[in-house]
Amino acid sequence: MEQVIANGLYLGAQYALIALGLTLIFALMNVLNFAHGQMYVLGGFVTYTIYGQLKLPFVVALICSGVTLAVIGALMERFLFRTVVRRSKREESTMLLAAATAFFLDAVMLLLFGEKQRGVPKIVSGVFASEGVILPYDRIMVGVIAILMIATFMLFMQYSKPGRAMRALAQDRIAAQLMGVKVERYSMIGFALGAMLAGIVGGLLVSITGVNSGIGGPISIKAFLMVMIGGAGVVGGAIAGGFILGMMESVGLATLREYGDVTYLVIFALLMIFLSIRPNGLMGKPWG
Amino acid sequence: MRTSQATTVRIIASALFLLALLVAVPLLIEATGRTDLYYTLTSVALLSIISAGVWITFYIGRINIGQGAYALMGGYVSAILVTSYGMSFWLTLPLAGLFCAAASVLIGLPILRLRGVYFAMVTLVLTEVARLLALALPVTNGASGIVSIPLPSGISFFGVTLVPDFATLANPRLAFYIVAVLLMALCFLSLYRLAHSRTGQLCQSLQQNEELASSIGVNIAYLRVIAYALSSFFGGVGGAMFAAIAQSIYPSSFTVADSVNFMLNCFLGGLGYVLGPMLGTFVLYFGWDLLFQTGEFQLLIFSTVLIVLMLALPNGLLSLAIPRKRSV
């Protein structure tokens, strides 16, 4: 049982970090970023190249992953999403654009990195073992880094000037603009920040599970699940959703093993029941 | 007087278009010897039926990325009925549609209360669930799928052969093409009728403001379930037809990428136009096929073109035609 909880916490920490980026972009731009999983994979590949191929320290690789994705996110917002949001008659058009960018990133990664599964050597070796729990040290480290990053992110959003501006933007775009918040600049920063989070998680997890260019889509789907559980556009909701999904997956894999690969079916059935009671998730606002 | 004239013109134009598809296209294909085009065009026709279903959910103001789930379901229902129960394919075609419609009522009742991004996300997950179900259920035969489904048998009525047995035909591709085009015509005809009926107007009121509509007395819960059921019906019929042509169905026959593509077809054609899904499917499918020669750069070029199209025409291809209509 302790083992199940430990696994759930570890999974939850990494999931929450993925969901945070997605929900941030949604809150600021009202854009459902289909390419989030692809951004995660790209972050993984950057770390693979720098840490696995060039043999530079892991921290450098992680920072490079974050910076690369932040730049890509900022460019995407500036040149693609901003234009389409301005010109389109329906908000949904940004979804098509997001799907197209997901295809685009997939294509680029396939060309650059091929379709093989890529992994890197472990960052720290050894296994932590006590009476009920066995966890490799590298998983513990990744979990701890993820939790530290979540805490940093929340402090940043709560107390820094850009964080306050972005929260204002998420609450009411027009009111924020009237109060002198530079809406366009902070949209761009927010998009870059969301992409950066995806890239860093990708970089962290390449050291444990590895990456291949095909897993972007499934990662996006998991991120959507978490955001639905917690409520779209709410930071606390994304974190709660991440930990809940991580825990359910861990418990499901442990208890439903004899019925075959049905964990996600059960999770989805539960989600449907839950959503029919609370259509906006745990903490979501009742918007359209 | 003017409106009746316009209607006549429209009827003649659609009849000519259908005639061209049924007569001129096969003649052209025979003349040029490109028989592989039959398969391509059949796929376009069937995919546009499935996309038309997505279009209906757009019509009630919902973004549906779960159509792949119903296409897969329809394919499996038809395949299981044909292989395990020996039913005629032509009977399973509407049954597959009805099964999907019934399933979508059950699924739709809770999830249609969701809006916007929430509905989009939940339907996206639905596609993945359908795949997992197909893998897990015993009746669907897991990852190996159902293979070597027999070709559709004939229908005879008092000794008169209405539809010949496809297995005895010299060119079953042509037969499938004709069936697909007829189905597509039927589908878009009913779509046109729906969009211009009272129900269609009510559906549009849902798209604009549900609270307002319900305050005037529109039964929104009933309408959106009906629309979603119809949408899934199209998905199921299209999927069943695909299973019959490929003579096989696997859990990976319709995936999340397909669901996203159905949505893209509608977007690209334009959401405000009945023929939008048809045009969008045609352009996307043929564009993809044409790019096949570019090899590994296929996806790269395809997605770049999509992005550029979105930047230039964010309201769909058919929106090019609006200014002309307005000026008349």
Side-chain angles (χ1 to χ4, degrees):
Chain A
M1 196 60 213
E2 292 93 342
Q3 182 68 47
V4 173
I5 292 175
N7 282 347
L9 281 178
Y10 155 74
L11 274 176
Q14 66 185 50
Y15 282 176
L17 209 52
I18 300 176
L20 264 184
L22 186 71
T23 214
L24 177 70
I25 292 175
F26 177 71
L28 294 179
M29 308 275 301
N30 221 350
V31 167
L32 186 58
N33 186 16
F34 274 103
H36 207 72
Q38 275 76 9
M39 290 174 164
Y40 162 98
V41 177
L42 190 57
F45 274 127
V46 171
T47 297
Y48 161 77
T49 311
I50 290 175
Y51 174 68
Q53 304 287 101
L54 302 177
K55 309 289 180 202
L56 289 170
F58 185 68
V59 183
V60 177
L62 213 53
I63 292 172
C64 284
S65 286
V67 171
T68 316
L69 265 297
V71 170
I72 290 176
L75 291 177
M76 267 169 62
E77 199 280 333
R78 175 69 187 78
F79 292 105
L80 301 179
F81 285 95
R82 193 180 295 178
T83 323
V84 171
V85 166
R86 203 175 52 227
R87 284 197 204 154
S88 167
K89 274 188 266 175
R90 296 174 66 124
E91 280 179 355
E92 293 99 321
S93 300
T94 55
M95 256 178 158
L96 170 66
L97 183 62
T101 47
F103 285 145
F104 181 77
L105 286 180
D106 258 341
V108 170
M109 285 188 293
L110 208 57
L111 284 178
L112 287 181
F113 301 102
E115 50 198 19
K116 278 198 196 125
Q117 171 81 15
R118 302 285 187 188
V120 295
K122 276 177 180 276
I123 348 165
V124 273
S125 51
V127 173
F128 171 83
S130 76
E131 267 181 51
V133 186
I134 301 170
L135 266 183
Y137 278 122
D138 54 350
R139 293 202 180 207
I140 298 178
M141 203 174 103
V142 166
V144 170
I145 295 177
I147 290 173
L148 280 180
M149 289 206 47
I150 294 170
T152 319
F153 177 80
M154 289 188 76
L155 288 176
F156 174 78
M157 287 304 276
Q158 201 64 32
Y159 296 111
S160 75
K161 196 177 168 218
R164 273 203 300 271
M166 281 190 270
R167 277 189 295 136
L169 211 61
Q171 274 178 12
D172 192 326
R173 204 177 174 84
I174 292 171
Q177 195 167 22
L178 291 173
M179 295 299 129
V181 175
K182 291 198 175 64
V183 170
E184 297 203 325
R185 181 204 281 176
Y186 285 111
S187 295
M188 194 159 106
I189 292 177
F191 212 107
L193 201 60
M196 187 184 88
L197 284 176
I200 291 179
V201 196
L204 276 176
L205 288 186
V206 75
S207 68
I208 293 175
T209 50
V211 284
N212 67 65
S213 45
I215 58 168
I219 294 282
S220 293
I221 290 180
K222 277 190 185 172
F224 292 161
L225 271 174
M226 296 175 241
V227 167
M228 270 187 290
I229 295 171
V234 188
V235 169
I239 295 170
F243 277 102
I244 291 173
L245 185 72
M247 206 51 95
M248 286 208 292
E249 197 178 316
S250 166
V251 172
L253 286 177
T255 55
L256 299 172
R257 206 178 327 157
E258 59 260 44
Y259 304 105
D261 196 10
V262 292
T263 309
Y264 264 85
L265 277 179
V266 174
I267 291 180
F268 184 75
L270 289 177
L271 182 77
M272 295 263 286
I273 298 168
F274 170 70
L275 283 178
S276 61
I277 302 165
R278 272 197 77 87
N280 300 308
L282 282 176
M283 310 176 188
K285 294 170 214 151
W287 55 39
Chain B
M1 198 58 208
R2 271 197 65 163
T3 51
S4 73
Q5 241 171 13
T7 321
T8 325
V9 169
R10 211 168 281 160
I11 290 173
I12 293 174
S14 346
L16 281 178
F17 179 59
L18 189 60
L19 206 67
L21 282 182
L22 286 178
V23 180
V25 170
L27 282 178
L28 266 177
I29 289 178
E30 292 302 331
T32 53
R34 290 281 310 270
T35 41
D36 56 310
L37 275 179
Y38 276 134
Y39 183 73
T40 317
L41 287 172
T42 312
S43 300
V44 169
L46 294 177
L47 289 175
S48 67
I49 293 175
I50 304 178
S51 305
V54 181
W55 189 86
I56 299 176
T57 35
F58 273 118
Y59 209 61
I60 58 166
R62 294 287 195 281
I63 308 160
N64 183 356
I65 328 178
Q67 191 72 345
Y70 294 105
L72 194 65
M73 202 188 285
Y76 267 111
V77 168
S78 164
I80 290 168
L81 287 178
V82 169
T83 51
S84 305
Y85 298 93
M87 246 186 219
S88 162
F89 167 74
W90 304 108
L91 197 61
T92 67
L93 195 60
L95 278 181
L98 287 176
F99 183 88
C100 291
S104 77
V105 170
L106 281 182
I107 299 171
L109 279 174
I111 69 170
L112 278 165
R113 294 174 59 207
L114 308 174
R115 281 188 208 169
V117 176
Y118 288 92
F119 185 79
M121 285 192 286
V122 110
T123 49
L124 184 68
V125 177
L126 200 59
T127 320
E128 190 62 14
V129 167
R131 192 180 69 84
L132 289 175
L133 259 182
L135 278 173
L137 287 180
V139 69
T140 53
N141 202 17
S144 44
I146 299 175
V147 290
S148 54
I149 303 167
L151 283 171
S153 52
I155 302 178
S156 43
F157 192 68
F158 291 120
V160 183
T161 313
L162 293 178
V163 181
D165 191 341
F166 275 40
T168 61
L169 285 181
N171 191 355
R173 280 177 176 184
L174 176 64
F176 271 122
Y177 170 73
I178 288 175
V179 171
V181 167
L182 287 178
L183 271 182
M184 179 178 81
L186 210 62
C187 158
F188 278 90
L189 190 69
S190 52
L191 205 61
Y192 182 82
R193 279 302 306 150
L194 176 81
H196 291 81
S197 69
R198 194 180 129 75
T199 319
Q201 304 273 318
L202 291 178
C203 287
Q204 254 186 332
S205 75
L206 292 192
Q207 186 186 329
Q208 278 160 4
N209 191 335
E210 284 194 6
E211 281 80 21
L212 187 61
S214 87
S215 75
I216 303 173
V218 178
N219 189 348
I220 56 169
Y222 169 77
L223 260 183
R224 59 193 183 199
V225 167
I226 288 291
Y228 191 55
L230 191 61
S231 147
S232 312
F233 181 84
F234 284 159
V237 169
M241 202 62 207
F242 253 113
I245 292 176
Q247 292 186 275
S248 60
I249 182 134
Y250 305 96
S252 56
S253 292
F254 292 98
T255 57
V256 170
D258 293 296
S259 280
V260 173
N261 275 333
F262 297 142
M263 180 193 70
L264 291 186
N265 291 340
C266 293
F267 262 125
L268 192 72
L271 296 177
Y273 316 92
V274 175
L275 287 181
M278 207 196 285
L279 183 71
T281 313
F282 186 80
V283 171
L284 270 186
Y285 198 95
F286 262 81
W288 179 251
D289 250 24
L290 279 179
L291 287 175
F292 185 72
Q293 282 108 1
T294 58
E296 53 181 350
F297 296 102
Q298 190 182 19
L299 186 61
L300 187 72
I301 300 175
F302 182 73
S303 53
T304 313
V305 170
L306 266 186
I307 292 175
V308 171
L309 261 181
M310 259 334 271
L311 288 177
L313 296 169
N315 299 312
L317 282 181
L318 283 176
S319 66
L320 278 178
I322 299 182
R324 245 186 294 145
K325 266 186 194 162
R326 290 256 165 86
S327 63
V328 171

